[in-house]
Amino acid sequence: MTAINEVTTYALEGDVGVITLNSPPVNALSANVRDGLAGGMKAGLDDAGAKSIVLICEGRTFIAGADITEFGGAQKGASLFDVQDAIENSPKPVVAAIHGTALGGGLEVALACHYRVAVPSARCGLPEVNLGLLPGAGGTQRLPRIVGVQKALEMMTSGQHVPAKECLAMGLVDEVVEEGKLREGAVAFARKIVAEGRPLKKVRESNEKVEAARGHPEIFADFRKANARRFRGYMAPEHIIKTVEAAVNQPFDEGLKTERKLFGELIASPHSAAQRYSFFAERQAAKIPDVPDDTATLPVNSVGVIGAGTMGGGIAMNFANVGVPVTIVEVKQDALDRGLKVIRSNYERTAARGGITPAQVEERMGLIKGSLEMNDLASADLIIEAVFERMDIKKDIFTKLDAIAKPGAILATNTSGLNIDEIASVTKRPEAVIGLHFFSPANVMKLLEVVRADHTSKEVIATSMKLAKKIGKIAVLVGVTPGFVGNRILGQRQREAQKLIFEGAMPWDVDRVLYDFGFPMGPFAMSDLAGLDIGWVKENSKGETIRDVLCEMDRRGQKTGAGYYDYDESRTAKPSPVTEKIIQDFAAKSGANTRDISDEEILERTLYPMINEGAKLLEEGKAIRPSDVDVVWQNGYGWPVYRGGPMWYGDYVGLDKVLDRMKDFQAQMGDVFKPSALLEKLVAEGKRFQDLR
Ligand code: T1G
């Protein structure tokens, strides 16, 4: 065995040359790995004893793509394109041996090989779209030549990781070898293709599938139309479609040029910068400075949930989905039955869409047990309270739980903003109390705000963060403050949205600006969807707010066909002259001077206070790092990932501009706009939030 460099070795196994990469954590195509590949190919080609070459990786995975940390830096080491040419033009067959995930540039290297074999657990994909990019090493030209135009469009615009079995069916891999025996399987396969005199299959030369699509522009028109809603606001999907059109209509090398030009546009775009930032932000969020990775964790093999309402039911599903038995406790049988019925219908709907099998529906329902007895939670490892948002009720439950739960059990509350230190204070084990703030629908939304209270132990924090990953959540650790990170910042936007419609803007103006910015929906449309009468009590209503008046007129949102908007039978929202009149009357009655308000001001008034509040949360230590605030808003509140999040966006706009506008607004409208000390400090030092690592 020869060491090519510190991450690559070459060895001759019989008459097969084997290049082995070992560059943890994911064998990303760093300069070292590219140099290793180039050196390994040279060794294999120069080795007279080698009739074929196998490329394999050590560690958890085959090459998982280009090294994203190198983007934007000076190009060092061998060029990826030269490495691919060396592989593709090799007179000896080159076989890629795939385990883990062959992604992005990793799959593109494998596509330059003449053959690919994989173990059953392997997955392949070109997920560059998730980074606001497109496959920039020939993937857009080679993939459609193997899997066809339609599948290539789907794979590259979704970024999906396709299992080996499906890859075999699509021709993306040539053989699936025994799990755990990849090296042997790949070497045997390489020997077989030599023995059978099989050709050097160059993907660039197999044109049937792209030629079959030539003269059928409707394929692309239909794909664009079918995905317009999903691609709204993103740059990369349309660029990807254009590269596949090039694969169909241009010779391979011309198509490669088109790919490089379009890749260049994307990698230079703020969209991709924001999405690459978000990739690392999500991984950073899992790291807690004073709770090291090796902190002991507690076993969670059984869970109790108190409350079978919308949140309780969704929370329970998360654990049943990963095989953890759950006991749901309710006070009344009918509430319990209703809750379990909703869970079953959720599972059946997923099964109807083919997301799970009917057997899995039964298996998961089998893991969820209903009870009217809190004592049934005495042996649970983790208990999550998800009842009505009233402090007295929560304290009553935690007092009972403290007496019932076994030593070492974690006592969690799903409150969306109440003081968890106060809740913990009624127990004799505040170190076991933590907030696990799920977002509705709890079985769907990715975000989990893990709320650290004053006495929460590091074991309980570490256990909760790891458990979140197990149930497929993106966990962000936050501190106790009203509304935690997400809702506290939301309060800023909602306040300004409400004020703006008093000053001359209409709800649909505010919504349009935020929708065009990239939010899935504006605050007023969101309120209509949720229902304007949440927390509204008819008997106490005095028509003091626009919402009061709308509810009194039975305009309670989509469900009544009218709210801020009017809705037609297909629930399409239309600006409402009724609401407009109510708002104008209100403004006149309150003596407000209404004026024309620009879209730019609407955006600044709704977003800049959010950025400022994020800075305050960092000052107060309620969020560990700015990117955590962004992960919360991207995964819990629909902030568009290609805009990075409130903190990234503040840096993008320029903190000096945010500060100036906040000061303008403060002068005009008071101290609710008072800039945070951190914002002032960063501007004074010419720094950005991203400099606060
Ligand atoms: N570059 C650099 N670091 C990477 C990386 C990459 N491509 N992928 C992962 N890491 C780091 C990550 O930051 C983390 O670091 C550690 O590896 C473990 O990752 C030319 C332009 C492979 C499925 O988009 O999807 O190729 O936090 O926590 O959950 O066309 O990582 O420990 O310090 O995510 O087991 C295309 C990105 C690149 C794949 C593993 N490739 N990676 O998931 O571990 S663009 C991707 C993933 C490209 C070419 C283009 C996942 C994973 P740390 P992890 P995991």
Side-chain angles (χ1 to χ4, degrees), residues 107-226:
L107 181 58
E108 291 172 300
V109 166
L111 287 170
C113 296
H114 306 111
Y115 294 92
R116 288 151 292 282
V117 302
V119 287
S121 61
R123 289 168 294 138
C124 300
L126 294 176
E128 285 84 347
V129 69
N130 299 331
L131 301 168
L133 296 171
L134 55 81
T140 68
Q141 303 306 301
R142 290 191 172 91
L143 188 68
R145 282 174 162 77
I146 288 198
V147 304
V149 166
Q150 189 65 31
K151 190 65 195 171
L153 286 170
E154 285 159 14
M155 278 181 69
M156 291 191 281
T157 56
S158 67
Q160 72 193 109
H161 300 182
V162 181
K165 200 154 148 270
E166 212 183 312
C167 292
L168 182 68
M170 294 193 293
L172 197 46
V173 302
D174 300 282
E175 189 163 296
V176 172
V177 298
E178 193 183 335
E179 194 69 50
K181 294 227 166 47
L182 179 60
R183 194 179 188 95
E184 300 88 320
V187 168
F189 180 85
R191 205 163 280 136
K192 180 172 72 183
I193 53 172
V194 171
E196 294 171 2
R198 291 213 215 161
L200 296 174
K201 279 199 319 179
K202 294 185 180 183
V203 179
R204 65 167 33 232
E205 292 167 359
S206 60
N207 294 318
E208 314 77 61
K209 291 185 176 165
V210 287
E211 282 163 1
R214 203 162 294 158
H216 293 284
E218 72 280 3
I219 296 172
F220 298 99
D222 295 350
F223 188 79
R224 284 183 172 100
K225 195 154 169 273

Side-chain angles (χ1 to χ4, degrees), residues 388 390 531-545 547-553 556 559:
F388 203 61
R390 263 194 27 214
L532 300 183
D533 53 356
I534 293 180
W536 181 75
V537 182
K538 188 169 183 161
E539 295 64 38
N540 307 345
S541 184
K542 299 187 183 62
E544 285 156 355
T545 66
R547 187 182 73 136
D548 278 352
V549 175
L550 289 170
C551 287
E552 286 162 13
M553 296 170 69
R556 301 182 188 195
K559 61 187 175 191

